[in-house]
Amino acid sequence: TRPGTLVLLRHGESEWNKANLFTGWVDVPLSEKGRGEAARGGELLAEHGLLPEVAHTSVLKRAIATAELALAAADRQWIPVKRSWRLNERHYGALQGKDKAATLAEYGEEQFTVWRRSYSTPPPPIEPGSEYSQDGDARYAMLPPEVRPQTECLADVVVRMLPYWYDAIVPDLRAGLTVLVAAHGNSLRALVKHLDGMGEDEVVGLNIPTGVPLRYDLDDDLRPTKPGGEYLDPEAAAAAIEAVKNQGKK
Ligand code: DG2
């Protein structure tokens, strides 16, 4: 069997994307606009005849709801869905719950960009027991403390995401299935970096738009036949990428 097709989908706008707050592992819902983006993503899948046969999401409701809304719009609600904390957004440490514009104003553009996009510099760790920490959250109760992040840089996300890629997603692709991965800005940056073999400097400039499916066709070695894949709506993707880049600057 030829490998199946991989479709990546960042969740639609969340309430905290809308409010311009650093989110990370805080479990915020989609905004109304975000629910519309998710459904539009599903319509695009149907229009392109790209019907998922299995889906993978994080354990955060903005990705879970995006998968549900997109699959409903494509009339594929019946397919199996698997969830893992390994597809969660990057843990944003002490920045979780902070306003992006206020953070930019307080720390300056250089530090702000290092925190958002550098490959190997994590934000300061979150204070245990503070308002936006995930201490005591039942969904992470099975994780030993040493793998439960208090902050993460993108390099950390690559390390914790890849076991799920190899153990759960790759077998579905090897089985020839069309696989939907509904996840987050930075967990998808980590996956795209891996797929496209991007360097650490290159990935700094990579931004993933909300709600536009990104299609990857893969060769027998699971390498993309077209580097960067193909957005199903390139114009919407380009506009949404600009919006992500400029977050904080308004
Ligand atoms: C955003 C990404 O995550 O923010 O955690 O604030 O994709 O779940 O909305 P998402 C967050 P940036 O790294 O783009 O600032």
Side-chain angles (χ1 to χ4, degrees), residues 4-175:
T5 305
L6 177 65
V7 184
L8 307 183
L9 181 61
R10 181 180 176 188
H11 60 80
E13 181 194 75
S14 74
E15 285 293 349
W16 279 22
N17 294 148
K18 183 175 159 191
N20 213 18
L21 305 177
F22 285 103
T23 317
W25 281 32
V26 182
D27 195 16
V28 299
L30 292 178
S31 68
E32 196 179 323
K33 178 179 166 197
R35 289 193 295 275
E37 287 175 324
R40 175 73 192 128
E43 284 168 18
L44 282 166
L45 294 176
E47 283 165 20
H48 287 77
L50 201 57
L51 298 174
E53 296 170 291
V54 61
H56 297 265
T57 75
S58 71
V59 294
L60 296 168
K61 60 172 71 102
R62 55 194 188 276
I64 293 169
T66 294
E68 279 172 5
L69 290 162
L71 292 174
D75 198 17
R76 302 294 283 189
Q77 271 164 313
W78 52 271
I79 66 167
V81 181
K82 302 172 201 170
R83 314 185 196 290
S84 174
W85 69 274
R86 292 183 186 275
L87 292 177
N88 270 16
E89 181 52 305
R90 170 260 277 267
H91 193 297
Y92 246 122
L95 296 180
Q96 291 190 167
K98 297 248 187 313
D99 185 283
K100 290 184 187 181
T103 304
L104 172 61
E106 187 174 343
Y107 294 95
E109 174 133 23
E110 205 184 314
Q111 180 65 75
F112 180 74
T113 305
V114 165
W115 281 336
R116 281 187 81 205
R117 290 293 175 265
S118 79
Y119 187 61
S120 47
T121 308
I126 198 161
E127 192 71 43
S130 61
E131 190 178 1
Y132 297 119
S133 90
Q134 281 64 53
D135 303 343
D137 189 323
R139 81 195 86 181
Y140 308 116
M142 76 302 182
L143 295 182
E146 65 273 18
V147 297
R148 205 192 289 205
Q150 304 297 325
T151 187
E152 289 180 311
C153 59
L154 195 66
D156 298 322
V157 180
V158 170
V159 167
R160 57 94 160 151
M161 183 276 301
L162 278 181
Y164 191 78
W165 164 252
Y166 286 115
D167 291 349
I169 302 175
V170 164
D172 285 341
L173 291 166
R174 286 288 184 207

